[in-house]
Amino acid sequence: MTTQRIETQLDEGTVEKLDGWRAAFMPQPSRPSVERLGALYTLERVSGFGPVKFRAMHEAGVDPQTVIEKPDLLPFTGRTGEKLRHGILSLSQAERDAGRARAAVQLERARGLSASIFVHGDQGYPERVYASNNPVPVLYVRGDPTIWDGTVTVAVVGSRNTREPYASDARKFATVAARQGIVVVSGFAMGADTIGHRAAVEAGGCTVCVMPCGLDKVFPPENRGLWDELLAYPGAVFVSEFGFGQRASSLLLRKRNKLIVAFAQGIVVAQSAVDGGAMNAYRFGREQRKAVATFRTDGSKDTSGNAVIENDDRTGGFAFQLTDDQSRYAAWLQQLSSSI
């Protein structure tokens, strides 16, 4: 199915067929109770309670609702444990009520959008994200979350102004990946991100769109057409760590890049200056010890980031030749798959 077909087929009959397909084959939306979600929101108010702490608490079998009433159950010792327990004891009743009220609003918005909300322990929560250094405690999802289950994933990212020949090479790479059944992950930005998503769809593959805002917001607004297409495409899923109603910001864009890397087993940076935003994905890839590849620099400033990645042995120091034979993409992807 190509994006052109999606655009021309969205008549009333097609919409009814898509709704019927979703009802018959897509898993029903999953959502936690208002009490559980409210407890997670309340704990997020406590300084130092980040994603890794939430995962440790889950693995220790400590329920977030219970720990608010009994902070001594926290599985943390020393000064860290003391600080977190003190933070919980300092929570006011107004803060607890605010957490529950926020949960009620988010669950209502999720129901209105047929969206899921996943927390640690839910079957739909992505295992790769849970195992990363960014196991965010709450994920919001629109689309079929089984897309990322048990499947190799690769991120395709880069500059919003990705130019030729880097644009064409990124498109070819994403196409090869999708045709091999590999899920293409990106951040829905203009440029390289859009190229990756579109190439996956046009190849009949699957793609994960990691958003820097709530899933009731389109960002960037220039991608409204792509947003509508992918919401209607069975092989696309939108995911965010930010609740409904949240607008994008520079900080959330950076956090979004970290979540992209958490979803992916390898990262390809199509084109980036050394000070470009896509280099955050490269740095997060280093942190998470994942393979990072790029395309050879042409010596210009806007590919200076490519040169940095190419010369970094820690991430494999791999760079495709410009206009490389597609068999090289397939070989790198095969190596990525076999190294998992």
Side-chain angles (χ1 to χ4, degrees), residues 3 156-157 170-171 174 178 184-211 223 226 229-230 233 235-238 256 260:
T3 51
V156 177
V157 298
R171 185 176 298 107
V184 175
V185 183
S186 200
F188 203 70
M190 302 299 289
D193 293 20
T194 293
I195 289 168
H197 292 310
R198 284 196 178 278
V201 171
E202 290 171 359
C206 295
T207 190
V208 176
C209 307
V210 184
M211 301 297 291
N223 257 351
L226 181 61
E229 293 167 21
L230 295 189
Y233 180 65
V237 59
F238 287 83
R256 181 273 313 274
I260 290 172

